[in-house]
Amino acid sequence: MSIRVENVSKRFGKFQALEPLSLEIPDGQLVGLLGPSGSGKTTLLRIIAGLESADTGRILFHGDDVTGVHVRDRRVGFVFQHYALFRHMTVAENIAFGLEVMPKGQRPNAKEIKKRVHDLLEMVQLGQLANRYPAQLSGGQKQRVALARALAMQPQVLLLDEPFGALDAKVRKDLRRWLRNLHDELHFTSVFVTHDQEEALELSDQVVVMSAGKIEQVDTPQTLYAQPDSRFVLGFLGHINVLQGDVNQGRLSQGNAWITLNDHPNAKQVECYFRPHEVKLQTQPSPTAHLPLKVSAVSLIGAEVRVELEADGWSSPEPWEVGISHAEYNAWQPMRGDRCYAVPEVGHLFSSDKTEPELIQWSQAQQRPVSTARSSVVSLFASA
Amino acid sequence: MVDKGLTLKGLTIKDLTMRTSAHLRIGDQPWVKWSLITLALSLVTLLLLVPLFAIFAQAFSGGLESYIANVTDRFTLHAIGLTLFVAALTVPINLVFGVFLAWLVTRFEFPGRKLLITLIDIPFAVSPVVAGLLYLLLYGSNGWIGSRLMDHDIQLMFSWPGILMVTVFVTCPFVARELIPLMQQQGKEEEEAGVTLGASGWQLFRRITLPNIQWALIYGVVLTNARAVGEFGAVSVVSGNIRGETNTLPLHVELLYQDYNVVGAFASSSLLAGIALLTLFVKSFVEWRQARQRQALNEEEI
């Protein structure tokens, strides 16, 4: 069932939780609402469910206006951040609840209900816990019970409010994969709220990035990452390194740092953003970029080594972060206080008059990887 | 390493621990402990147990037959009947009122919500006699509302409806006061989950809200009942003390005592004391159940 949000806005007292916004969610998609806290993503989800009423605008399910339809009649599955299991009922009773409160005519008979509950428990792999109470379950188990309870009604729309927010990292990963499979199997339309960009990018068909009650960008995870529309989106999807300054004669400079920008008109207050993996570190500046940095921390955990750097002789609002491979790390062995130069391959340029970035690429030929350093291994690596 | 190195103002840690363990804390000396226990026990005996015992001793001082005669006296029976009748009406009225009020202030946001929570406590803050007097001034035959009702031949004061009104007023915070903190702590997520699953308002209340608040509700009812049975001040102002008509049990005790029928007064008192003891018993049982529920709730949060 497709969902259409038209011109919906919401105000809580003096706080404008949602600016008027519209959104189209096609049938069968898994859509992530991503944004920092207070961006209005949960409010939007609750308005779609009918738990909150919008001040203006309409909600359409499959083309039908459901704005005036009560939550209980919208037939959406809703999964709460803190599970909201009925604490005085067993797991099986929790799952059966939605079926048991149906009006007499539609309600399946007791045997049918029992079978459905059994099937759902099998589906969420909790068959042996049917007679436990919520207090006796772990967080991941509770969340699966909550999902089974929502799915008992066979809803065509499943809404999840920060479904994995309260779980530890490993359980979260398992559940994420499991939800993706479930979605592919059952083909309902799902919308989930998250503040974790990794979760949104991994799980969703489409990501809706929100900030301050507005939709910033709606795109597939790939497009969103490759072509962010605004500073906010770029900054929200992972760390960014910033050079702020003025453009003069094809050069963006600040202090002793500069990068070349071919044929760019002179301008004030220009910002260039670099992603950690779009920057190389060298011991010598390149002809296109002169960005002196000082190593302030090195983190070895993960697929690549994360080097944190301070601007040396200029200023940056936040420390720079650059990812280098473990091989590069072993060759270079950076230590705290070491000086080096950043050489960007790709930059996202924001002029003050435009909100959309301009993509800038520098040719690879002029660059040399981190090399002239301490051991002979380096030269081997550099030529490789 | 600790023994040698770490020092604190010239004392090693070992010295410090030895000092504290060598010293007894206040109250650890046997004489302090036993004198406190003796003091507490004698106060409890003098102020609580002796009077309670005295009530029953006095009530039975004329023998069992005279006790039965006193209790089955026509006016006493009527007073018992009126008291139970008023309590039987007050409890359901305040039960419904308290649940509605608690639901309102914990499940909805509206201007004046905080003020309403404060206003619930007015009956606790105002002296019952003043409350009775206010009702008399408002609803009495010369009162602002009462005079209009008199035109339609409706008399509220000096009859059972007046007694009921002040009793409801005096006891109305008990249920709401018990429910509000609990319902605030439990939040409204479970009810929201219920409504997304298609439950109607009544189904929500019956199957989700009520099971979660039942013990607090029973506790509130027990307190409401105890106060409704024992209320003296407000009732005495509005009842008019007509024997066999508007006399409740506490008022009857006073009347009998003023008539120099001490044994009769104590016989009636023993009935009130009996109800009080029963209430205490139910209350402790409910408290024990609530403590268990809270423990379960805490475990869940961990």
Side-chain angles (χ1 to χ4, degrees):
Chain A
M1 192 150 65
S2 65
I3 303 169
R4 204 184 151 100
V5 176
E6 274 183 13
N7 243 338
V8 161
S9 71
K10 177 74 183 177
R11 174 182 279 277
F12 293 112
K14 281 184 186 148
F15 175 65
Q16 186 81 38
L18 287 179
E19 304 280 350
L21 56 84
S22 300
L23 181 65
E24 180 92 50
I25 297 168
D27 186 25
Q29 279 208 337
L30 180 53
V31 172
L33 298 180
L34 173 67
S37 53
S39 61
K41 52 194 193 308
T42 295
T43 307
L44 180 59
L45 192 79
R46 288 172 65 88
I47 289 175
I48 295 174
L51 287 169
E52 214 78 68
S53 60
D55 295 341
T56 65
R58 303 196 300 164
I59 303 286
L60 295 98
F61 284 177
H62 204 68
D64 298 328
D65 190 344
V66 295
T67 320
V69 176
H70 194 273
V71 207
R72 104 170 41 96
D73 304 316
R74 279 196 200 183
R75 300 268 151 215
V76 296
F78 199 99
V79 176
F80 292 82
Q81 185 181 2
H82 299 292
Y83 329 117
L85 297 179
F86 307 132
R87 67 192 94 200
H88 61 282
M89 297 184 199
T90 62
V91 166
E93 285 166 346
N94 261 283
I95 296 173
F97 183 85
L99 300 168
E100 279 173 355
V101 296
M102 282 175 141
K104 269 226 169 84
Q106 303 164 26
R107 191 192 313 157
N109 61 37
K111 216 174 136 197
E112 170 78 22
I113 291 181
K114 214 171 163 192
K115 188 179 173 307
R116 289 261 286 275
V117 169
H118 179 260
D119 292 348
L120 283 159
L121 275 170
E122 287 304 309
M123 190 188 74
V124 297
Q125 298 147 17
L126 290 175
Q128 71 286 10
L129 302 180
N131 294 320
R132 294 264 188 101
Y133 283 89
Q136 301 165 308
L137 302 180
S138 72
Q141 290 170 335
K142 281 185 206 173
Q143 191 59 291
R144 281 190 279 169
V145 174
L147 263 160
R149 186 177 66 179
L151 293 173
M153 313 292 302
Q154 297 173 319
Q156 289 182 291
V157 172
L158 184 66
L159 305 173
L160 307 109
D161 184 9
E162 305 241 5
F164 315 117
L167 303 171
D168 62 67
K170 192 173 172 329
V171 178
R172 193 185 305 185
K173 222 167 169 180
D174 289 347
L175 264 181
R176 225 190 268 170
R177 197 174 313 130
W178 179 78
L179 178 68
R180 180 78 242 186
N181 292 340
L182 198 70
H183 177 88
D184 292 344
E185 217 171 286
L186 300 177
H187 269 293
F188 36 74
T189 309
S190 337
V191 183
F192 73 99
V193 159
T194 179
H195 59 258
D196 181 344
Q197 64 270 27
E198 201 186 308
E199 193 168 290
L201 295 183
E202 184 187 316
L203 206 53
S204 332
D205 297 316
Q206 296 256 3
V207 180
V208 179
V209 183
M210 297 185 66
S211 94
K214 288 194 284 280
I215 291 179
E216 293 279 341
Q217 189 172 357
V218 185
D219 257 315
T220 61
Q222 295 78 4
T223 325
L224 199 69
Y225 196 70
Q227 290 156 20
D229 271 353
S230 61
R231 277 168 225 243
F232 177 81
V233 176
L234 189 62
F236 198 67
L237 299 178
H239 186 87
I240 44 155
N241 304 313
V242 188
L243 172 66
Q244 289 173 316
D246 302 334
V247 182
N248 212 341
Q249 293 170 343
R251 225 180 219 201
L252 169 61
S253 58
Q254 188 226 121
N256 65 355
W258 52 261
I259 50 171
T260 55
L261 299 169
N262 292 334
D263 312 325
H264 197 279
N266 288 359
K268 296 247 173 226
Q269 291 290 321
V270 174
E271 284 183 327
C272 200
Y273 288 26
F274 310 99
R275 287 235 172 81
H277 63 273
E278 292 166 347
V279 176
K280 287 252 171 300
L281 292 179
Q282 305 184 167
T283 46
Q284 298 298 321
S286 86
T288 55
H290 183 267
L291 297 163
L293 296 162
K294 213 159 67 179
V295 176
S296 59
V298 178
S299 160
L300 281 161
I301 292 168
E304 57 175 22
V305 178
R306 194 163 48 81
V307 185
E308 203 177 288
L309 306 121
E310 284 164 35
D312 187 10
W314 51 290
S315 72
S316 165
E318 270 186 79
W320 276 46
E321 260 182 44
V322 175
I324 61 174
S325 71
H326 282 273
E328 280 176 292
Y329 171 77
N330 288 333
W332 178 29
Q333 304 263 332
M335 307 273 281
R336 251 185 82 157
D338 282 0
R339 280 159 210 278
C340 59
Y341 293 89
V343 180
E345 293 161 354
V346 180
H348 307 261
L349 192 73
F350 289 93
S351 313
S352 52
D353 52 337
K354 281 191 281 189
T355 55
E356 281 192 26
E358 195 180 324
L359 200 67
I360 302 193
Q361 284 176 308
W362 288 272
S363 76
Q364 302 279 325
Q366 291 155 324
Q367 293 172 4
R368 287 179 3 212
V370 174
S371 59
T372 53
R374 299 164 198 203
S375 69
S376 55
V377 188
V378 177
S379 52
L380 269 175
F381 165 71
S383 59
Chain B
M1 183 188 152
V2 169
D3 285 346
K4 279 184 270 170
L6 262 173
T7 54
L8 192 69
K9 285 184 183 166
L11 289 169
T12 68
I13 282 187
K14 213 174 172 189
D15 282 342
L16 282 171
T17 47
M18 274 170 68
R19 285 224 158 182
T20 46
S21 58
H23 259 272
L24 283 170
R25 285 168 298 154
I26 299 169
D28 280 357
Q29 287 102 324
W31 69 270
V32 175
K33 184 170 139 196
W34 286 109
S35 49
L36 278 175
I37 290 174
T38 315
L39 185 69
L41 280 181
S42 37
L43 277 176
V44 166
T45 311
L46 271 176
L47 297 177
L48 298 174
L49 289 180
V50 170
L52 191 65
F53 181 72
I55 291 174
F56 288 97
Q58 287 282 352
F60 288 99
S61 62
L64 189 63
E65 270 169 46
S66 120
Y67 178 80
I68 292 171
N70 269 314
V71 170
T72 53
D73 172 67
R74 187 165 66 88
F75 294 129
T76 310
L77 281 180
H78 185 271
I80 296 170
L82 182 63
T83 301
L84 292 182
F85 173 71
V86 169
L89 282 177
T90 304
V91 168
I93 289 173
N94 275 333
L95 175 74
V96 173
F97 170 79
V99 171
F100 269 109
L101 197 67
W103 182 297
L104 180 71
V105 299
T106 57
R107 295 296 181 258
F108 300 96
E109 281 291 335
F110 53 92
R113 187 176 144 267
K114 289 248 164 67
L115 185 71
L116 191 61
I117 295 179
T118 317
L119 287 181
I120 296 170
D121 283 339
I122 281 193
F124 281 170
V126 174
S127 155
V129 177
V130 176
L133 214 56
L134 274 172
Y135 270 74
L136 196 59
L137 287 175
L138 268 178
Y139 294 100
S141 53
N142 299 321
W144 188 55
I145 301 171
S147 57
R148 267 155 245 212
L149 289 172
M150 266 316 237
D151 297 341
H152 299 91
D153 267 342
I154 299 168
Q155 191 201 346
L156 295 178
M157 294 298 112
F158 308 120
S159 64
W160 70 263
I163 298 174
L164 179 64
M165 282 164 76
V166 291
T167 311
V168 166
F169 175 84
V170 169
T171 58
C172 84
F174 285 107
V175 170
R177 270 277 147 237
E178 280 303 314
L179 294 187
I180 289 170
L182 181 71
M183 288 173 78
Q184 266 169 344
Q185 191 198 357
Q186 290 182 339
K188 59 182 172 189
E189 268 203 340
E190 282 182 49
E191 281 144 24
E192 285 185 339
V195 78
T196 60
L197 291 168
S200 67
W202 172 246
Q203 282 171 327
L204 276 185
F205 179 73
R206 172 69 198 77
R207 305 194 46 166
I208 297 170
T209 315
L210 197 57
N212 281 341
I213 61 171
Q214 58 183 350
W215 290 107
L217 197 63
I218 292 172
Y219 189 47
V221 163
V222 167
L223 291 178
T224 305
N225 185 58
R227 186 69 194 269
V229 168
E231 176 55 30
F232 179 85
V235 172
S236 108
V237 176
V238 299
S239 91
N241 274 15
I242 308 160
R243 214 176 277 227
E245 274 185 43
T246 62
N247 222 11
T248 62
L249 208 44
L251 299 183
H252 188 61
V253 171
E254 197 209 16
L255 271 186
L256 288 173
Y257 189 72
Q258 282 169 351
D259 289 349
Y260 302 106
N261 182 354
V262 178
V263 177
F266 276 105
S268 295
S269 302
S270 72
L271 294 175
L272 283 171
I275 295 174
L277 286 176
L278 191 68
T279 307
L280 270 181
F281 176 74
V282 176
K283 179 173 156 275
S284 336
F285 175 72
V286 173
E287 271 176 348
W288 173 72
R289 283 302 305 246
Q290 267 188 314
R292 276 203 351 184
Q293 194 187 19
R294 244 193 309 271
Q295 204 180 350
L297 207 68
N298 288 341
E299 274 168 19
E300 197 177 340
E301 274 161 15
I302 293 162

